[in-house]
């Protein structure tokens, strides 16, 4: 059976990890009862600051492991939401090391590999946190490579972070389909020359009209439809 576009012109499918394969809010959700009514706001603040720190460091020409930024962002989130007991901090960090994969992820990866496509992660996450997350989600055997931006010393959307995928996989960038739930990441992938597919799980409005995705899907299994 022919593959749907853009898979029909691809040799590899590369995924962002956090928010795309792994539910970044599942760490807080596991402890929502202990956190109380600020749980959702705490999770949003944590995620927003984590990403903000990565952008600011990249623009400044600095770098720190993503796990360090994750810890700093949680500290900021707890300070912003003083109604949350800060004693929950170690439990939340432990939960972040083993985030839940979205339910359709294993089946989608398996189907792509059966179709002869290589699969990989390209993530801002550092090597150690990605290894823990992929193992916890039982995804390791479904991926040909798990790539951290660590060797590039910068975060996406810097082009040299995206360079890691074609260099490691031995596939030209134009033969790589790249999926992310983050619209800014899709913009970076489009500028770089990947075929970007936006996983718009929560029906967010579009942005970056000059750097568009080639497809928009609601969940990963939509890629095969």
């Amino acid at each position: 059976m022919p593959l749907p576009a853009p898979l029909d012109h691809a040799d590899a499918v590369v995924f962002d990890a956090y928010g795309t394969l792994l539910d970044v809010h599942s760490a807080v959700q596991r402890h929502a009862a202990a956190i109380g009514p600020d749980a959702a706001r705490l999770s949003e603040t944590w995620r927003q600051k984590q990403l903000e720190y990565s952008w600011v460091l990249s623009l400044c020409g600095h770098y720190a492991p993503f796990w360090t930024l994750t810890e700093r962002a949680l500290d900021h989130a707890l300070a912003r939401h003083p109604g949350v007991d800060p004693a929950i901090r170690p439990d939340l960090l432990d939960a972040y090391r083993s985030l839940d994969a979205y339910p359709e992820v294993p089946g989608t990866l398996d189907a792509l590999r059966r179709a002869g496509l290589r699969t990989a992660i390209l993530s801002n996450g550092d090597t150690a946190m990605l290894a823990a997350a992929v193992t916890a989600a039982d995804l390791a055997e479904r991926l040909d490579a798990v790539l951290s931006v660590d060797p590039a010393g910068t975060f996406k959307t810097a082009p040299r972070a995206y360079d890691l995928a074609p260099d490691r996989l031995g596939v030209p960038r134009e033969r790589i389909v790249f999926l992310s739930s983050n619209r800014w990441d899709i913009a970076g992938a489009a500028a770089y020359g990947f075929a970007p597919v936006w996983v718009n799980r929560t029906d967010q409005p579009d942005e970056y009209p000059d750097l568009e995705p080639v497809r928009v899907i609601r969940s990963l299994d939509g890629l095969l439809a």
Side-chain angles (χ1 to χ4, degrees):
M1 179 181 296
L3 290 170
L7 297 177
D8 56 342
H9 291 95
D11 295 319
V13 183
V14 176
F15 299 85
D16 169 61
Y18 295 101
T20 305
L21 300 180
L22 306 170
D23 182 355
V24 295
H25 298 295
S26 63
V28 168
Q29 288 167 357
R30 289 182 204 172
H31 298 282
I35 294 169
D38 285 337
R41 290 188 292 273
L42 178 78
S43 193
E44 289 292 342
T45 303
W46 187 6
R47 175 62 169 168
Q48 289 168 2
K49 295 305 290 189
Q50 180 195 50
L51 293 175
E52 180 186 320
Y53 291 161
S54 73
W55 298 329
V56 171
L57 287 183
S58 291
L59 288 168
C60 293
H62 290 257
Y63 184 75
F66 201 58
W67 184 252
T68 300
L69 305 190
T70 300
E71 292 180 309
R72 291 175 184 171
L74 178 56
D75 290 338
H76 175 84
L78 289 168
R80 283 279 304 275
H81 302 283
V84 179
D85 184 353
I88 198 72
R89 182 183 189 272
D91 292 332
L92 291 177
L93 290 174
D94 283 345
Y96 207 93
R97 292 184 179 93
S98 58
L99 295 170
D100 297 337
Y102 288 103
E104 80 281 5
V105 169
T108 301
L109 292 175
D110 290 344
L112 291 171
R113 288 165 66 86
R114 285 196 301 270
L117 294 165
R118 302 181 71 187
T119 57
I121 283 174
L122 175 60
S123 172
N124 281 341
D126 59 67
T127 301
M129 67 186 292
L130 282 173
V134 166
T135 298
D138 194 25
L139 301 181
E141 299 301 318
R142 296 178 162 98
L143 295 161
D144 294 294
V146 178
L147 306 176
S148 165
V149 299
D150 274 347
T154 191
F155 296 103
K156 298 181 290 181
T157 58
R160 74 174 183 268
Y162 294 113
D163 279 339
L164 294 166
D167 289 351
R168 172 66 179 275
L169 297 172
V171 175
R173 67 181 71 182
E174 63 271 14
R175 302 283 297 182
I176 293 177
V177 172
F178 179 83
L179 286 90
S180 180
S181 63
N182 303 296
R183 185 60 180 90
W184 54 268
D185 199 8
I186 291 298
Y192 181 74
F194 289 151
V197 175
W198 182 24
V199 188
N200 188 4
R201 294 184 180 277
T202 56
D203 198 27
Q204 295 297 306
D206 197 12
E207 304 175 272
Y208 310 106
D210 297 326
L211 296 166
E212 296 182 345
V214 296
R215 279 188 67 186
V216 181
I217 56 179
R218 290 298 300 268
S219 62
L220 292 187
D221 46 7
L223 182 64
L224 296 160

